[in-house]
Amino acid sequence: MSNVKAALEVIASKAPDFKADVAMVLGSGLGGVVDAVSDPIKIAYEDVPGFPLPTVHGHGGQLVLGRIGGVSVAVMQGRAHFYEHGRSDLMAEPLETLRELGADRLILTNAAGSLVPDAVPGSLMLITDHISMFGPNPLIGYHGDDRFVGMDVPYDPEIGAGLHQTAAQLGIKLFEGTYCWCTGPSFETPAEIKMLKVLGADAVGMSTVPENILARRLGFKVAAVSNITNLAAGMSATPLSHAQTLEMSKEGSANLIRILLQYFSRSA
Ligand code: HPA
């Protein structure tokens, strides 16, 4: 039984007549984006049927409705990861709920390791393509022809161009590249990173790909940005840990907030 109708009823009771233009999902250490939301209405995930409770430190668990610049936004502060529950479809109902609220654009953010030596911690990388080989496709078990989602253009080039333009105006370097989803929760080994480089990955992380696939089936235009918190395993002497991810997310997060604020104030 879908929880979407019940979720929409809860949202309507707290934010009557709210309609979203854009939905956003915030990754580790990126919760500060919600500070940029004006007149926010905050609803804990535990009050919204179908919204999975994050178990990860650094991931808030609330839906924030309001405005950034000229657009109406529905922001998920925190997401469910495959590694938390062993299911890649846990974001299906939340995304469907956000789509029903009217959002047709989805901005995904994540913390990621970089396979590109120049994209050092603190950098931002626009995801232009992805590699999904290591976890199950979130649409397994769906019926109907709409499960056969075309993935030839997985990330929306128009939003990507807008984010690039905005970053350039602000003097912020925005890398771009291919993101590879590894399930986690352990980080990759140096040998795995060497393999991923050969496969064409520029960044590696534990999220985003399942959401992209689910969202594309729902008709969202999707853009995604990685906040680079570390060079990938074997590329630096710094040991990888979640504490380091959170610590190193601050600089990129501040820049990402600036880009999103400016982008939304132009794209009303
Ligand atoms: N690998 C996977 N996930 C990550 C990393 C990484 O190096 N950094 C932040 N999230």
Side-chain angles (χ1 to χ4, degrees), residues 111-114 182 186-188 204-206 227 229-233 240 245:
S114 168
C182 290
S186 56
F187 287 95
E188 302 70 36
V204 62
M206 306 178 191
N227 184 10
T229 54
N230 56 280
L231 288 172
L240 302 186
T245 297

Side-chain angles (χ1 to χ4, degrees), residues 176-208:
E176 64 173 40
T178 297
Y179 173 93
C180 181
W181 173 39
C182 290
T183 66
S186 56
F187 287 95
E188 302 70 36
T189 65
E192 286 164 349
I193 293 300
K194 273 190 204 155
M195 173 188 77
L196 297 180
K197 258 189 195 155
V198 174
L199 295 182
D202 300 301
V204 62
M206 306 178 191
S207 66
T208 301

Side-chain angles (χ1 to χ4, degrees), residues 99-132:
R99 187 82 176 102
E100 289 288 327
L101 279 178
D104 64 353
R105 287 170 283 168
L106 173 69
I107 315 275
L108 300 170
T109 63
N110 60 44
S114 168
L115 283 74
V116 177
D118 285 351
V120 294
S123 305
L124 296 173
M125 190 182 290
L126 180 75
I127 299 176
T128 51
D129 204 343
H130 71 223
I131 297 172
S132 172

